[in-house]
Amino acid sequence: MLKRNRSLRHLSVIASITSISLVTGCGVFSSDSAEGEGPIIVGTTSAPSTLDPAASWDGSWELFRNVYQTLLSYPAGASAPEPDAAESCRFTDNSNRTYSCKLREGLSFSDGHALDAEAVKHSIDRIRKIAVDGGPAGLLGSLARVETKGTDEVVFRLNKPDATFPFVLATPAMSIVDPEEYPADALREDSEVTGSGPYSLESYEEGQEARLVRNGNYKGSADRQNSAVTIRYFQDSDEMVGALKDRKIDVTLRGLAAKDVVALEDRRGKDDIQLVEGAGTEIRYLVFNPKDPWARKAAVRKAVAQVVDRPAIAHSIYKDTVEPLYSMVPSGLAGHTTGFFDDYGSPSTSKARQILLEAGISERVPLTLWYTTDRYGSMTKPEFEELRRQLNETGLFSVTVKGRPWKTYEAGYRKGEYPVFGRGWFPDFPDAENFIAPFVGEQNALGTPYKSPEITDVLLPESRRRTDRGDVVEQFEKAQNILVDDARLLPLWQGKQYIAASEEISGVERSIDPSTIMMVWELSRKPSW
């Protein structure tokens, strides 16, 4: 039975990005045009795990958004998806079960092959046919089949009403690929990309860099402000910020450590670096593996939830650049609640001990907490060491922490190797649905089945019937109550969006879409004075 004492907190939609300039004056080094002096170089700690959209439901989307194209996307300043490869898209019925898109004229891939309705159908169908564990097939649960009408119209028949389907089509997971280069029943094996996005992938060195150049065949909504962009992948924030200060890169995207953010703020006016801050919907959370003999016990999960001190993590580790999070839906989205705080309150060893004793657990609970060493920034390791300290200090747990690079880490959690593991989530689209639906069901983004019939069979279908997304708060509140009761997922914090850039770079404020993915075509060099 759901508890009724949860106080709910409703906050306004995500605030627009604001810029904090760390330099005054006009002593900048710049080119004479937006396309001068070589490519703009973007640094990030979030390297792709794959180049094939059918395999990825992760940070690989950062690259995908810029080299592939989707039917719909988010132009600068948009809060809802708008046509991109499509000329127009709409529901053609009153029940939100038939969605039709008409393509732009003359579309082609970077290799010159035609992009038509069959190519779109091929791209979507292969996601479901290949069905990579933890891959994007989970986003297509409402899709029954894809049809084509002539060469320029694609019709999506849904098996149930789904007002969020346009948001799904706007995710980089639904990137359109060349049928001649991407098999219908297998992933592409080489390190090449054949897309129709604003840029072509000129070269790619795994874990090192991706070189992007303008795609001469591109037709879409992106107004490219530069001729080329190179994305460089770093192992940690220190190295990346050092490269920015040494002018080896122009912009940082993901992975700025809290100490670097604080240091950049403190040096306002002393460095030729700007820091752009925006409200974000990035979250961090723990996942409990139902196959593990200890993590599968509800009492163990709830005891952990009772002990974890989120404000201490936010303050001591992240220097208040993040905020404690008490539900899987972040603040700023309709349907956000504070369920974990309402149920558990402040951290309490005595309450956690009582939870365990009532379940017949009197010995110290052995748990291993796993994290990725190169995906979410250099503060992830200290964060997990702090979690270990908090849990072990109670005398109720015997916790160890272990880390792996993302590629092997991801493979490990998909195989169910980790009792408890950390994940980050950058939204597929800015809706509370995207902080619940991807984590439940047999096939989800976590690689660990999470059966919750009330969420998957009742609450989510109810919400998807509502075109007005502000009218689904009740369903999402109930879903979050279930997540709190199960404690299979434990939210930790919600992050802000920070981008550091050379003062000569413009367009940074416009470069982040509502799902916090960088549209590198918005970046340019300021003209010389």
Side-chain angles (χ1 to χ4, degrees), residues 27-107:
V28 298
F29 300 88
S30 60
S31 61
D32 292 331
S33 72
E35 300 184 14
E37 292 193 2
I40 289 175
I41 303 176
V42 177
T44 179
T45 61
S46 182
S49 61
T50 176
L51 297 183
D52 191 328
S56 173
W57 201 349
D58 61 23
S60 304
W61 288 10
E62 300 282 6
L63 180 60
F64 292 176
R65 174 61 77 204
N66 296 286
V67 297
Y68 292 107
Q69 194 173 20
T70 47
L71 289 170
L72 302 104
S73 64
Y74 298 93
S79 58
E82 298 179 12
D84 188 356
E87 178 183 283
S88 62
C89 290
R90 65 188 181 94
F91 280 106
T92 58
D93 63 343
N94 294 323
S95 62
N96 293 338
R97 293 185 63 167
T98 303
Y99 195 72
S100 176
C101 289
K102 186 172 182 180
L103 299 178
R104 292 176 185 261
E105 289 186 10
L107 291 173

Side-chain angles (χ1 to χ4, degrees), residues 2 6 160-164 329 335 337 431-434 436-437 440 450 452-466 468-469 471-486:
L2 297 179
R6 297 182 171 105
K160 51 195 170 187
D162 187 359
T164 70
V329 176
T337 74
D431 190 283
E433 147 117 2
N434 194 238
I436 295 174
V440 295
Y450 182 179
S452 182
E454 186 173 357
I455 293 179
T456 57
D457 300 342
V458 179
L459 296 174
L460 288 177
E462 283 180 4
S463 74
R464 288 165 178 162
R465 295 189 186 100
R466 313 287 180 90
D468 183 352
R469 303 310 293 162
D471 195 30
V472 294
V473 170
E474 180 182 355
Q475 287 80 11
F476 291 135
E477 289 174 352
K478 288 180 179 178
Q480 289 176 86
N481 289 346
I482 293 171
L483 295 180
V484 173
D485 288 337
D486 291 345

Side-chain angles (χ1 to χ4, degrees), residues 498-512:
Y498 291 99
I499 300 174
S502 165
E503 186 62 20
E504 69 179 77
I505 299 298
S506 63
V508 178
E509 298 90 343
R510 300 189 305 274
S511 68
I512 302 298

Side-chain angles (χ1 to χ4, degrees), residues 89 168 369 414 482:
C89 290
V168 172
L369 275 55
R414 286 184 178 179
I482 293 171

